[in-house]
Amino acid sequence: MSDTRLTLPIWDELASLSDDALPLLPTALLIASDEYPELDPAAYDRMLQAHADHLRVEVEATGEWPLKIAAINHHLFNELGYSGNNDEYYDPRNSYLNEVFERRLGNPISLALVQMEVAHRLGLPLEGISFPGHFLVRLPVEDGVLIMDPFNGGRPLSVDELRERARSNLGGETPDDTVLAQILDPAPHRAILMRMLRNLHGVYVERGEWDRAARSADRILKLAPKQADAVRDRGLAYLELEHLAGARADFASYLKMEPEAADAGSVRDRLIELGGERPRLH
């Protein structure tokens, strides 16, 4: 049974946790709590448990894993109505898990998280795939892995379709078996959570909501402090917010971390304009 006393982790403690120890659902709700500080994590934990309990008898009576996941998908996507938000794909609510539960609308990664969590509570090792473009999920089966698209009702994807999807996001190059297998590796919890935050960062940059863009980049650094791109992105958001000291510090840190980056010259120019010293490279 799920712990109805579910509490949120502490941001400053997450970087020290291994990927295996990093809790996926509580940290996803922690991300949401930045925007919705009054959310009740235990309520959403109970909601997930109710989804799983509704399915338990049917799933336990079904022998094969593909049939078990088909029953889970039917309940989530057909009966409960979870679906991909095609009409407002870049609505930030699609990334906040409390909103996904309430509205039954989400993006690929948030819907995958709901699907994975219900499957895990029913004994199925459903894993996420940080696929280029849309996030996917995978389930081990006797003759390999079953790949599914949570944004489209958990629909299974063929190898040919996976190659085509990957090709369109890899500069037109079709991946061979080895590359495709690497792309289909399961994503660690930290990678999943960072992708959620990068999605939010991109949405807020596009909207010009620089305080939230800065927050999203900062939260990535709470999970993985050595992410140079997040340091740069936070600095750019600070610059838009006229938090010049923060921008200077982040630009200088970025150049020390990535002195040969393709955008190092432009970042260095910004730092000089802000009155920061040119960082010394060793």
Side-chain angles (χ1 to χ4, degrees):
M1 294 294 292
S2 175
D3 183 1
T4 57
R5 298 168 297 173
L6 180 74
T7 57
L8 300 180
I10 298 171
W11 276 115
D12 288 340
E13 296 178 355
L14 296 179
S16 64
L17 298 179
S18 68
D19 283 336
D20 290 340
L22 188 63
L24 186 57
L25 173 66
T27 308
L29 287 169
L30 179 65
I31 291 170
S33 73
D34 277 336
E35 191 68 18
Y36 303 91
E38 301 303 319
L39 72 79
D40 179 3
Y44 298 109
D45 184 60
R46 290 192 296 269
M47 186 180 296
L48 275 171
Q49 192 61 42
H51 295 349
D53 289 343
H54 177 88
L55 285 158
R56 191 169 304 280
V57 172
E58 179 182 1
V59 168
E60 290 180 352
T62 304
E64 301 297 326
W65 280 5
L67 297 177
K68 291 178 185 286
I69 194 64
I72 292 171
N73 289 344
H74 179 76
H75 183 56
L76 290 178
F77 301 117
N78 295 96
E79 297 177 349
L80 295 179
Y82 285 96
S83 64
N85 192 349
N86 281 295
D87 293 336
E88 297 180 295
Y89 187 84
Y90 296 104
D91 188 326
R93 292 177 294 179
N94 296 331
S95 290
Y96 291 124
L97 211 55
N98 60 313
E99 289 281 8
V100 176
F101 287 129
E102 298 290 350
R103 302 168 69 230
R104 305 288 165 92
L105 286 172
N107 58 26
I109 196 166
S110 62
L111 293 169
L113 200 150
V114 173
Q115 187 186 20
M116 290 162 57
E117 189 66 29
V118 172
H120 292 169
R121 293 174 191 224
L122 293 167
L124 272 70
L126 192 65
E127 300 170 301
I129 303 170
S130 199
F131 200 82
H134 278 191
F135 196 86
L136 303 174
V137 296
R138 51 176 277 165
L139 180 71
V141 293
E142 287 185 1
D143 56 349
V145 290
L146 176 63
I147 310 298
M148 291 163 285
D149 180 358
F151 191 73
N152 290 291
R155 183 172 68 83
L157 302 175
S158 69
V159 171
D160 288 343
E161 185 171 356
L162 289 166
R163 288 192 199 281
E164 179 61 25
R165 285 193 178 200
R167 186 187 69 78
S168 64
N169 287 281
L170 295 174
E173 184 174 346
T174 301
D176 59 22
D177 289 347
T178 300
V179 172
L180 185 61
Q182 292 172 345
I183 293 173
L184 296 175
D185 278 345
H189 286 182
R190 182 170 272 102
I192 295 173
L193 295 160
M194 288 169 61
R195 184 160 172 168
M196 292 183 76
L197 286 163
R198 285 196 169 98
N199 287 344
L200 282 166
H201 175 266
V203 167
Y204 287 133
V205 167
E206 186 66 23
R207 291 177 166 220
E209 297 183 28
W210 296 107
D211 54 344
R212 290 179 168 90
R215 182 183 70 196
S216 300
D218 182 72
R219 293 318 196 190
I220 292 171
L221 294 168
K222 294 294 188 183
L223 289 167
K226 296 182 180 180
Q227 290 292 307
D229 61 334
V231 173
R232 176 204 59 208
D233 290 344
R234 187 177 63 183
L236 291 169
Y238 282 162
L239 184 60
E240 294 288 343
L241 293 167
E242 299 185 357
H243 177 21
L244 303 186
R248 280 195 296 269
D250 279 348
F251 291 159
S253 295
Y254 176 69
L255 291 171
K256 290 176 183 177
M257 297 167 79
E258 295 288 342
E260 304 300 324
D263 62 351
S266 63
V267 173
R268 189 173 292 112
D269 290 343
R270 289 175 183 267
L271 182 59
I272 293 171
E273 290 172 4
L274 287 169
E277 295 183 1
R278 183 185 298 268
R280 298 176 182 177
L281 306 181
H282 302 281

